[in-house]
Structure formats: structure tokens, C-alpha cells
Amino acid sequence: MVVGEFTTEVDTVVIGAGPGGYVAAIRAAQLGQKVIVIEKEHVGGVCLNVGCIPSKALISASHRFEQMNHSEAYGIKAENVTIDFLKVQEWKGSVVERLTGGVKGLFKAHGIELVEGEALFVDTDVVRVNHGYESARYKFNHCIIATGSSAIEIPGFKWSDRVLSSTGALALKEIPKKMVVIGGGYIGIELSSAFAGFGTEVVILEGTPSILPAFEKRLIAPVKKKLKQKGVTVYTNALAKGVDESANGVSVTAEVKGKAQVFDADYVMVTVGRRSNTKDLGLDLAGVELAERGLIKVDKQGKTTNEKIYAIGDIVAGLALAHKASYEGKIAAEAISGEASEVDYRAMPAVVFSDPEIASVGLSEEEAVKEGYEVKSGQFPFAANGRALSLGESDGFLKIVSRASDGLVLGAQIVGTSASDMIAEFGLAIESGMTVEDIALTIHAHPTLGEIAMEAADVVLGHPIHIAK
């Protein structure tokens, strides 16, 4: 029985408190709207709680452990280095708590009401929130749906204590001796590298001809090299067929290049992608239409087929990225406030926190050619940069893709240490309509990794300083 149901009128309802939803809510409140946020599980969503942030914390801890065990080249030798993995998990949890607590504090500072429960549309402008035996209805002028996505469970691999999603892997209380990872996309590669750094024997089964298939082969070459050094075994054209579980481990059956193989491990982690959370929202009652793969149809402002309702993040077309969701959240909040904001994905960066990191923004050379550009490109190796050498991180390169006629920056790709930080310069360059000459003439501090951007621009212009032409 439902008790205590009542109806409240509100300017804007945001469904989901992840990096798309909470940003949309704060921006809407800044623009003078009365906002409530409905969240059924965790403030901060998957990203802050069981995705982006905890995985990067685990990766950071893994790097520290590796550095302590492999610093002989610097004249530093540590013996009997041990890991208290429960302490690692405790630290990881403290990072998550600090960030999610910060979001709650921002809600309070902006007068945003947080409502716990599961949202269900009951009309084109009414949403019901169910929380236990209680229910409340909210009549809205506008609504922003930001419900995110969930890990895909594949046939034959039902989630259990031994068959894990990335969420389950991040919550482990022990370091596995052996782990099979199904899927060589960015999540699989990031966590495989992290656990391998802790000493886990990792096997990756990737169904396509290459890991990280969305990136150029030259970009992933240094990552493959480092995975091999960490003892990770990668099988491509490998299709996982099933798993037998026991109290102490798993046996994964796979077809590798047409031949059956069995892999024994403590755990198997499945990272084959994510599915948008658009079911059980009552979208049909709200007049919201779906496109392919269960995604919601939206225009350039995020507006759905119901002009009062907007959708952002993983539930709409495009890359499933936290920063994309946040960007779209700002656009939607501004649009419902009457501003002429709309999305422009020209400078949407993509990052893989592999070892070394991969980052890209704008067009690759192949994409630029397909779009009809006459291209001029150039790249500069980390091995010719003083800061990279002093860090002991000489693997990788930075590549700039430009329009041959005037040097307009069309894109950039980086593989190397701190690529995730370095890519921002090129996002700004593309967004601002800069040329490679603008980058080359910008004085970059020495000695820094940032100089690699300037050096690569010099390569495009035909007068490199620190490598032979």
C-alpha cells in the first residue's frame, strides 16, 4: 500500500545525481530555478561511487606499489614491500566519500532538494517517486533525465561472487592471484593494468582483432608493450562462451581464433560495455520516444519529444563519458532557462587511464581525410622531452592533425604519461579555432611535459628543434 502520497509543484526535476544530473541541477539553480534531484542509489552516480573515481584511486595505488618495487634505476631499492589491500580500499573509499559529500554540500549551498527514491513518470509533466512504502508526486515545468547506464551482463556469465562487473572488481577485499578479464575496452584495460600492477596474473579475452579498438594502432602499441611487461596475456578474436564456478575460483571457456580453451582463475571480470538506464521510467506515459539501442531521442539542446523533458549523458547518443554528461547537463539547464545553448562535440576529449595513458580530442588523421580535409600532421616523442626522461616515462608520443591550407588544429592524439592532463590544451585549441603556429608561438615552461605540444607544432611547421627533421 502506498501511504503519504502528495503532489508538489517545482520548476525543474532532475532524475539522477551522477556527473550529468548533479551538474545540471546546480546550473539550473544558478539560473534561478527551484530544483529537486531524485536519486535512487548514490549521490555522484556510478562515476563518483563505483566508476571513474574509485578506479583511478586504485590505479594510483597500483602505480605507487610498482614504483616502490621497480626503482633500482634511480638508485632506490625497497625490500619486502607489502600491500594491505583492505587499507587500500579504505583509502579509496575516503576519496569517494569526500567527493560525494562535496556534491551534497553544493546541493545545500544552491538550495537544491535531494529526494531519495525511484522515479516513474505518470504523465507528461508529473513524476512519482517511490521510496519504500512512501510515494510522492512532483508536477514540473521541466525535467532533465540523467539516469546513466549499467554494466552489461552477457549470456553464460551471471553476476556472482566470482563473476564480477567492474563494480564488483573495485570492491574486492583481496588481490586475486589470477583474473580473467572479458573485454579489452577502456574499462578492461584500465583495471587489468591496475590489478597486474598489484601482482595479479591477468588474462584478457577481447572479441575483436585488437584491444582498445576505438583508437589508432600506433596509439595502443605502447600500452600493449607495458601490459606485456606487467605479465598480462592478451587474446584477441577471443569469444567467451561460459564459466564454471567453485567456492575458490572459476574456469572460463572461450573460443580463441576458432579453438576452444579453458582459463582457470580466482575471478572473472566482464567489461564488454554498458547499457542505458531507460527502462522502467514510464517514458511512454511521458511522451518520450526512444531511438536505437534504448537511447532517448534528443535535439541539440537535449530536448526530447516532450518539450518539457530533456535527457543527457549515457542515455542519449554519443560517447558514454562523464564529462560529456556534465557538459550536456549545463546545456540542458541553460536551455530550459531560455538561453540559446546547444551542444557542440568538436572538442570532446576521450581518455584511457591505461599505462601509459591515451588521450584524444577532435579528428584523427584518418577521420580528417574522410571528412575531405587536406591534412598536415606531425608528432613528437616523449623520449626527446627532458621532463619525461627525468620521470622515467619516455614511452609514447603526441600527434597533431591540422588543416594543410592554414594550419587550423583539427585534432590531437597522445599516448604517454599524463596524457589525460595534456589533452586539455588541444581541446582549447580546437574550441578557439587556433592554428599550429599559435601553439608553436606559445611559450611553454621548461622542463615540462607541456613542451611536447609546442615541439609537435614545430614538427608540423617543418622546423623541429629537438628531433632531426
Side-chain angles (χ1 to χ4, degrees):
M1 183 178 73
V2 174
V3 296
E5 182 164 308
F6 56 91
T7 301
T8 301
E9 294 192 5
V10 64
D11 291 336
T12 300
V13 170
V14 178
I15 303 175
Y22 82 71
V23 169
I26 291 170
R27 186 69 185 115
Q30 289 173 341
L31 292 167
Q33 298 169 44
K34 178 183 178 183
V35 182
I36 70 158
V37 176
I38 303 167
E39 173 56 53
K40 71 175 183 179
E41 198 167 8
H42 304 296
V43 171
V46 168
C47 180
L48 267 65
N49 290 275
V50 293
C52 318
I53 299 303
S55 66
K56 303 315 168 284
L58 204 65
I59 289 168
S60 177
S62 173
H63 285 335
R64 288 173 184 263
F65 181 67
E66 285 188 281
Q67 287 168 356
M68 293 188 73
N69 280 292
H70 302 287
S71 293
E72 292 88 350
Y74 304 97
I76 300 170
K77 187 173 182 180
E79 297 181 354
N80 302 317
V81 180
T82 61
I83 305 173
D84 182 343
F85 199 61
L86 292 179
K87 185 69 175 178
V88 172
Q89 292 287 33
E90 181 183 326
W91 170 75
K92 184 196 75 179
S94 71
V95 175
V96 170
E97 287 176 10
R98 182 170 181 178
L99 287 171
T100 55
V103 173
K104 291 177 183 177
L106 289 169
F107 280 177
K108 186 176 180 180
H110 288 87
I112 297 167
E113 180 184 355
L114 177 64
V115 177
E116 295 183 3
E118 193 161 355
L120 175 69
F121 288 103
V122 295
D123 205 340
T124 56
D125 61 351
V126 179
V127 65
R128 172 186 286 163
V129 182
N130 299 312
H131 185 61
Y133 291 105
E134 296 185 352
S135 177
R137 292 160 60 99
Y138 293 89
K139 183 178 176 63
F140 55 80
N141 293 326
H142 291 98
C143 176
I144 300 173
I145 309 172
T147 48
S149 61
S150 302
I152 294 175
E153 185 179 75
I154 61 176
F157 291 84
K158 185 176 178 59
W159 303 134
S160 69
D161 290 341
R162 295 285 170 180
V163 181
L164 310 173
S165 65
S166 57
T167 298
L170 287 169
L172 285 173
K173 293 181 172 57
E174 64 178 1
I175 298 172
K177 292 180 180 178
K178 293 184 177 181
M179 177 182 280
V180 173
V181 177
I182 300 174
Y186 76 95
I187 296 175
I189 295 302
E190 287 181 358
L191 293 183
S192 292
S193 183
F195 279 106
F198 286 129
T200 302
E201 183 181 326
V202 179
V203 170
I204 298 173
L205 304 177
E206 168 55 40
T208 72
S210 176
I211 61 170
L212 300 172
F215 292 90
E216 296 178 16
K217 289 182 179 180
R218 290 199 65 193
L219 282 172
I220 62 176
V223 176
K224 287 181 177 179
K225 174 184 172 184
K226 202 62 173 281
L227 286 171
K228 188 174 182 180
Q229 290 174 352
K230 290 171 183 275
V232 177
T233 304
V234 178
Y235 293 90
T236 55
N237 294 311
L239 302 177
K241 295 295 186 178
V243 60
D244 290 324
E245 298 180 57
S246 67
N248 299 315
V250 295
S251 290
V252 177
T253 303
E255 185 180 296
V256 182
K257 296 179 180 168
K259 295 182 179 180
Q261 285 190 237
V262 177
F263 302 91
D264 296 323
D266 301 317
Y267 300 93
V268 55
M269 178 175 65
V270 181
T271 61
V272 296
R274 301 184 66 82
R275 181 178 290 111
S276 58
N277 294 330
T278 53
K279 287 186 177 181
D280 305 320
L281 285 172
L283 295 178
D284 53 339
L285 295 175
V288 174
E289 294 180 12
L290 296 179
E292 296 178 356
R293 298 182 291 113
L295 299 172
I296 295 176
K297 292 181 181 178
V298 293
D299 65 11
K300 289 186 176 181
Q301 291 190 309
K303 187 187 298 180
T304 71
T305 48
N306 178 339
E307 64 178 14
K308 291 189 174 185
I309 299 177
Y310 291 67
I312 62 173
D314 294 3
I315 57 173
V316 302
L319 298 173
L321 301 169
H323 48 273
K324 169 182 172 284
S326 297
Y327 169 72
E328 291 170 344
K330 292 179 183 178
I331 298 297
E334 290 167 1
I336 64 180
S337 299
E339 298 192 8
S341 300
E342 62 178 42
V343 296
D344 178 359
Y345 299 125
R346 283 184 307 165
M348 183 63 65
V351 175
V352 183
F353 290 86
S354 48
D355 185 10
E357 294 177 353
I358 295 175
S360 68
V361 68
L363 300 176
S364 68
E365 186 165 355
E366 182 180 355
E367 289 168 338
V369 170
K370 283 182 179 179
E371 290 196 13
Y373 289 103
E374 186 179 341
V375 169
K376 192 172 184 181
S377 65
Q379 66 182 50
F380 190 85
F382 276 62
N385 174 263
R387 180 60 174 155
L389 290 172
S390 68
L391 289 170
E393 299 284 357
S394 60
D395 287 342
F397 62 87
L398 185 156
K399 179 179 180 179
I400 301 176
V401 180
S402 73
R403 188 165 62 190
S405 60
D406 56 6
L408 181 73
V409 177
L410 299 174
Q413 296 82 44
I414 311 172
V415 56
T417 188
S418 299
S420 58
D421 297 315
M422 295 170 65
I423 200 66
E425 178 172 354
F426 291 95
L428 178 62
I430 295 169
E431 191 69 33
S432 303
M434 295 173 65
T435 66
V436 285
E437 187 175 34
D438 292 324
I439 294 172
L441 292 176
T442 299
I443 300 171
H444 290 65
H446 176 78
T448 64
L449 296 173
E451 289 177 282
I452 298 174
M454 177 182 67
E455 300 271 18
D458 280 337
V459 172
V460 178
L461 293 170
H463 45 70
I465 301 299
H466 291 105
I467 59 172
K469 187 175 178 180

